[in-house]
């Protein structure tokens, strides 16, 4: 099942894909996927990120098998950085270079805490595509990565949640201005979905709508304002965002 | 003005203190402090944290004037760790020692981004009392502090927001089981409220209900299950939470 969220005539609707159409549902995060109305048209609608997370976590140094020798670590991203398909990534030239990182997002469907390897996957509602935008110029300046990870639009997420997708086998491609610049597979990640969930929920309580960015298997590239970034994931879809220059400066708040 | 939030007969209400009584208001974070009903009784009501943040940030190494020589840094706490007055702090004995840290919380009232020293304070709706509970045994294991800062109930906040309180002059006292164990003043902090806001909003967008924990001026102590922790702040109030042992173990999710 595909689950999306859109603002249609000013109203935020959760939607599922049914018979080639989008049909409203009440609350997919409570497990309620019963249609509550007729199919809607998305012409003129604004696609939103498919969930509204309280907690957004990213897995650090999880991008290659070699990193399995390092203990797992998760960093937090501001939930205010989450934007949808077609929303802009805002780059502030004064903060140094910025890269995009193509990743699979695990979207949590229920309260999850102290999971075991055996029971961990049941908390995942489904998967979406995420771009873990990172101001790499800020990484050496801040060991918490707060400065690197919290820029406006720094977590594009979407276009939908697929409840039947296998995150551990995902193939990801990154295009900049329609040119393929990197490709990779989640089979290269240091840790599996189940291992990530056990680690994270040992330390952090998760709940409906929360998101874990699984880590980037080398599918990354520097971007500059004016470019368009597309992440394509086989069997899941594609997520496209433009990169724009921040107009913010001192005193322009 | 004092602003609180409570669950009364199952309904969440925002309240302001008026003539020695609590009166409902619609949405204090939109600046709307007009009463919308008669005074309510809090007998039997459950006090909630006075806001429901999207972003919770703590200031690292901001607790003493000496730390002014280090560049400012902010870490993120999970918004799911925020609990109210009288809620429990849950300690997991397998994770090493835990300390409580008495701090002032700045509660944001409007969108705040790229603030200047001159305009920064206007985004603050008011101040509350926060306990930045920290699993210090986890600090050396995780440079992001995710493992140390995200325990259940690890951010007690309350009991209300005071819109007239001066955070830079706050005097904080910490009691454990009614014994004073530490006292301190925000005059000892490395950076002022205005400096903190300029730093944070240079890197992170804030919005209504978000919280910045200013840092702990030495008002800290180790706690164990069975203890009761009270933070008293002159002119602001007091925040009391019990420490309980986690019953969570592998497989108990």
């Amino acid at each position: 099942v595909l689950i999306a969220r859109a603002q249609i005539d000013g109203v935020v609707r959760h939607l599922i894909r049914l018979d080639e159409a989008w049909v409203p549902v009440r609350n997919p995060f409570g497990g309620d996927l019963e249609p509550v109305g007729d199919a809607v048209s998305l012409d003129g609608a604004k696609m939103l990120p498919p969930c509204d997370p309280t907690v957004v976590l990213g897995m650090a140094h999880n991008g290659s098998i070699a990193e399995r020798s390092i203990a797992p670590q998760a960093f937090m991203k501001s939930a205010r950085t989450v934007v949808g398909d077609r929303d802009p990534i805002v780059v502030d030239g004064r903060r140094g270079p910025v890269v995009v990182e193509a990743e699979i997002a695990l979207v949590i469907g229920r309260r999850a805490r102290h999971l075991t390897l055996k029971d961990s996957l049941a908390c995942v509602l489904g998967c979406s595509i995420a771009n873990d935008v990172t101001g790499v110029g800020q990484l050496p300046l801040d060991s918490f990565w707060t400065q690197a990870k919290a820029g406006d639009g720094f977590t594009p997420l979407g276009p939908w949640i697929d409840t039947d997708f296998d995150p551990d086998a995902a193939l990801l491609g990154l295009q900049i201005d329609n040119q393929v610049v990197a490709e990779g597979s989640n089979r290269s990640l240091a840790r599996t979905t189940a291992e990530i969930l056990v680690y994270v929920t040992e330390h952090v309580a998760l709940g409906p709508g929360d998101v874990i960015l699984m880590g980037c298997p080398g599918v990354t590239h520097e971007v500059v304002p004016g470019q368009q970034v597309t992440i394509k994931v086989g069997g899941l879809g594609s997520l496209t965002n433009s990169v724009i220059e921040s107009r913010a400066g001192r005193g322009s708040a």
Side-chain angles (χ1 to χ4, degrees), chain A:
Chain A
V1 182
L2 302 184
I3 302 169
R5 203 165 56 115
Q7 186 166 339
I8 305 170
D9 297 333
V11 179
V12 175
R13 311 293 298 262
H14 295 283
L15 306 164
I16 63 167
R17 189 80 178 160
L18 211 64
D19 298 334
E20 320 242 318
W22 288 103
V23 179
V25 295
R26 214 179 316 265
N27 177 18
F29 301 99
D32 182 359
L33 293 179
E34 275 302 300
V36 292
D38 295 331
V40 295
S41 165
L42 294 185
D43 291 351
K46 172 164 174 43
M47 294 302 288
L48 301 174
C51 58
D52 185 15
T54 297
V55 172
V56 180
L57 287 162
M59 293 302 296
H61 51 77
N62 196 48
S64 68
I65 296 288
E67 291 173 298
R68 216 178 148 77
S69 58
I70 313 172
Q73 270 190 287
F75 57 89
M76 301 199 59
K77 291 192 85 162
S78 161
R80 293 194 188 275
T81 63
V82 175
V83 296
D85 189 37
R86 306 286 163 179
D87 284 333
I89 298 163
V90 184
V91 163
D92 187 334
R94 299 166 301 177
R95 306 265 174 279
V98 169
V99 303
V100 292
E101 301 185 1
E103 306 192 11
I104 298 299
L106 305 172
V107 181
I108 305 301
R110 57 171 86 163
R111 179 172 160 82
R113 188 79 165 113
H114 299 296
L115 300 180
T116 64
L117 274 179
K118 204 176 62 180
D119 68 13
S120 63
L121 297 180
C123 76
V124 178
L125 176 64
C127 295
S128 191
I129 306 172
N131 192 338
D132 180 16
V133 184
T134 304
V136 290
Q138 296 290 318
L139 289 175
L141 305 178
D142 171 17
S143 55
F144 300 119
W145 292 6
T146 305
Q147 297 179 197
K149 296 285 189 178
D152 296 327
F154 268 31
T155 313
L157 185 73
W160 44 63
I161 299 161
D162 187 337
T163 63
D164 302 313
F165 186 79
D166 177 7
D168 291 319
L171 296 170
L172 303 100
L174 177 62
Q175 296 182 5
I176 296 186
D177 292 340
N178 297 313
Q179 298 286 317
V180 176
V181 295
E183 292 179 305
S185 163
N186 270 6
R187 293 198 191 280
S188 310
L189 294 183
R191 286 178 170 81
T192 64
T193 299
E195 290 172 322
I196 289 169
L197 289 165
V198 169
Y199 169 71
V200 166
T201 65
E202 186 174 334
H203 298 289
V204 184
L206 300 178
D210 287 349
V211 168
I212 303 174
L213 313 179
M214 294 181 69
C216 176
V219 189
T220 178
H221 203 276
E222 188 174 340
V223 291
V224 296
Q227 291 179 327
Q228 189 182 66
V229 180
T230 295
I231 300 172
K232 289 200 177 185
V233 178
L236 184 50
S238 71
L239 175 69
T240 297
N241 301 86
S242 55
V243 181
I244 67 170
E245 172 82 43
S246 169
R247 283 175 304 173
R250 294 291 176 171
S252 67

